[in-house]
Amino acid sequence: MATTASNNIINKNETIKNETIKNETIKNETIKNETIKNETIKNETIKNETIKNETIKNETIKNETIKNETQQLQSENIANSQLIPSIIEENWPMTSDKQIERLTRPGSAYFNLNHFEVLGLSADSTHEEIKKKFRKLSLLIHPDKNPQNEKAQIAFDTISKAYQCLQDSATLTFCREVVVEARKRVEEERKEKKIKAKKQSQELNLDESDIIIEQEVRIMTLKLFAEAEKRRQRTSELEAAERKRKREAELQKMEESKREAELQKEWELGRDARVNDWRNFCQKGPKGKKQVDVNKRIRIGFRPPTLKVETRPINKFHSGSSAIIDTTQPEQT
């Protein structure tokens, strides 16, 4: 019985030791996985910070570029605003050289925003009138008929673009609305000038002739077209930036999914190696210790208690003295 109990104690100790080693192995694996995970998170954080910094840098450069372009456009607008009255007052004859010069003059990018102005038409022109004027100008400034003029192609492209835009119903409606808004603003500005002069008791001499009013309307129309073009460019830039941001987010998500799949694949591939290492360890046991076959260990469900020597006082003598006897030894008769 004592041998069996000793073997049970040894087996129990070996089991506890194996469990401890197994727990240590699992713990080490967990720590290793946590380390890998932390390294991955750290790398992702660094990558995100880099992307964020690059985005901020690009946004800063973009804002600076937009600011510079805005300042340049404002300078051009000021210069063009000074040129508009004199240019509008000019009478451009219908000759090839003069029309090419009109369409490619300094500030043409600003003036040619008004497609009616490009074709020399009013805002209430019909589709037939637009088509007729385009054919007339295209025959006049066509590059094949003006091979000596290098700007003929630019002028022809300008009137072609204006004609195509006015062929679209939505664009035609928008251009007419801009002209109506320009006329409305000119009328409001004239009313404000009259009210201000009346309050200050000043005499205001405004030319009410149709020619002057029409010139002011054309100037205001060009300004409104320039504002609309700036808004369109800004909207396009914002949409492009948003598309770029979404694409970068999609690529980053795809990269994260790919990385997670690779980590999972590596974990699955190392599963058999980890199991084999654990089995080999259980079979060999620690160094310097007696190897125990796990399959040959005695498995018992009941473990008997350890025998103890019982001692108790017995009144053996009349003198009242007590004695301790060993109940495990048989009495002698």
Side-chain angles (χ1 to χ4, degrees):
M1 293 296 291
T3 304
T4 303
S6 177
N7 290 334
N8 290 334
I9 293 171
I10 294 171
N11 293 336
K12 182 179 180 181
N13 293 334
E14 289 292 335
T15 304
I16 293 171
K17 189 169 185 180
N18 292 333
E19 289 293 333
T20 304
I21 295 170
K22 183 178 179 181
N23 293 333
E24 288 292 332
T25 306
I26 295 172
K27 184 178 179 180
N28 293 333
E29 288 289 336
T30 306
I31 293 171
K32 184 178 179 181
N33 294 333
E34 288 292 331
T35 305
I36 295 172
K37 185 176 180 181
N38 292 333
E39 288 292 332
T40 305
I41 294 172
K42 184 177 179 181
N43 294 333
E44 288 294 330
T45 305
I46 295 171
K47 184 178 179 181
N48 293 333
E49 288 293 331
T50 305
I51 293 172
K52 185 178 179 181
N53 293 333
E54 288 291 333
T55 305
I56 293 171
K57 185 177 178 181
N58 293 333
E59 287 293 330
T60 304
I61 295 171
K62 185 177 179 180
N63 293 332
E64 290 293 332
T65 305
I66 293 171
K67 185 177 178 180
N68 295 332
E69 290 178 355
T70 304
Q71 292 176 354
Q72 184 179 359
L73 185 59
Q74 289 176 353
S75 301
E76 291 179 358
N77 291 343
I78 294 171
N80 293 332
S81 298
Q82 297 172 355
L83 291 172
I84 287 173
S86 60
I87 291 176
I88 288 178
E89 291 175 357
E90 289 185 26
N91 185 17
W92 296 92
M94 287 296 293
T95 61
S96 58
D97 292 336
K98 287 295 181 181
Q99 289 300 315
I100 292 172
E101 182 183 354
R102 177 180 71 87
L103 295 170
T104 59
R105 66 191 184 274
S108 58
Y110 177 81
F111 302 120
N112 295 339
L113 292 174
N114 185 357
H115 304 308
F116 293 118
E117 192 73 24
V118 170
L119 297 177
L121 296 170
S122 60
D124 56 353
S125 300
T126 63
H127 286 285
E128 289 296 328
E129 292 174 345
I130 294 170
K131 186 176 181 180
K132 184 178 179 181
K133 191 61 180 287
F134 168 70
R135 286 183 176 178
K136 186 177 180 179
L137 284 174
S138 63
L139 291 173
L140 188 66
I141 65 174
H142 198 278
D144 293 341
K145 293 187 176 182
N146 299 276
Q148 74 284 355
N149 197 327
E150 298 178 354
K151 297 181 179 180
Q153 184 64 48
I154 299 174
F156 182 78
D157 293 340
T158 301
I159 63 171
S160 298
K161 180 181 178 181
Y163 176 70
Q164 291 175 0
C165 291
L166 293 178
Q167 286 296 107
D168 182 55
S169 299
T171 307
L172 178 61
T173 303
F174 171 74
C175 292
R176 286 174 176 172
E177 290 175 352
V178 170
V179 176
V180 172
E181 180 66 20
R183 191 173 298 277
K184 182 179 178 181
R185 290 193 183 186
V186 169
E187 292 176 358
E188 291 177 352
E189 287 181 358
R190 282 179 161 262
K191 288 180 181 179
E192 290 176 358
K193 288 179 181 179
K194 291 178 181 179
I195 293 171
K196 185 177 180 180
K198 186 177 181 180
K199 286 181 179 180
Q200 296 177 356
S201 300
Q202 295 178 355
E203 185 178 356
L204 181 64
N205 295 323
L206 282 177
D207 193 347
E208 299 292 341
S209 62
D210 294 339
I211 296 175
I212 299 301
I213 294 174
E214 191 62 28
Q215 287 180 358
E216 293 179 358
V217 170
R218 293 171 70 182
I219 293 170
M220 182 60 69
T221 302
L222 291 177
K223 290 181 179 179
L224 293 179
F225 271 113
E227 293 176 0
E229 179 64 17
K230 287 191 289 186
R231 288 195 300 270
R232 186 194 67 79
Q233 291 178 358
R234 182 59 179 167
T235 302
S236 300
E237 290 173 356
L238 292 175
E239 290 177 353
E242 182 65 17
R243 288 194 298 269
K244 183 179 179 181
R245 186 190 64 80
K246 289 182 178 180
R247 180 57 180 167
E248 289 177 353
E250 290 177 359
L251 291 175
Q252 184 177 358
K253 188 175 180 181
M254 291 172 62
E255 187 68 22
E256 291 176 355
S257 301
K258 184 178 179 181
R259 189 178 293 104
E260 290 178 359
E262 290 177 354
L263 291 174
Q264 186 65 26
K265 184 178 179 180
E266 291 177 359
W267 175 261
E268 293 295 333
L269 291 174
R271 185 185 299 277
D272 294 338
R274 292 193 299 274
V275 172
N276 292 332
D277 291 342
W278 172 246
R279 288 176 177 173
N280 294 333
F281 177 80
C282 292
Q283 290 177 0
K284 294 179 180 180
K287 294 182 179 180
K289 300 291 183 179
K290 184 179 180 181
Q291 297 182 3
V292 179
D293 190 353
V294 179
N295 297 324
K296 294 183 179 180
R297 289 177 180 174
I298 300 174
R299 306 287 183 179
I300 58 175
F302 173 74
R303 179 175 295 172
T306 305
L307 296 177
K308 295 183 179 179
V309 178
E310 182 180 2
T311 58
R312 61 182 175 178
I314 299 176
N315 294 329
K316 188 173 182 181
F317 303 100
H318 293 285
S319 60
S321 61
S322 60
I324 298 176
I325 64 172
D326 187 356
T327 58
T328 59
Q329 298 296 331
E331 295 183 359
Q332 295 181 359
T333 55

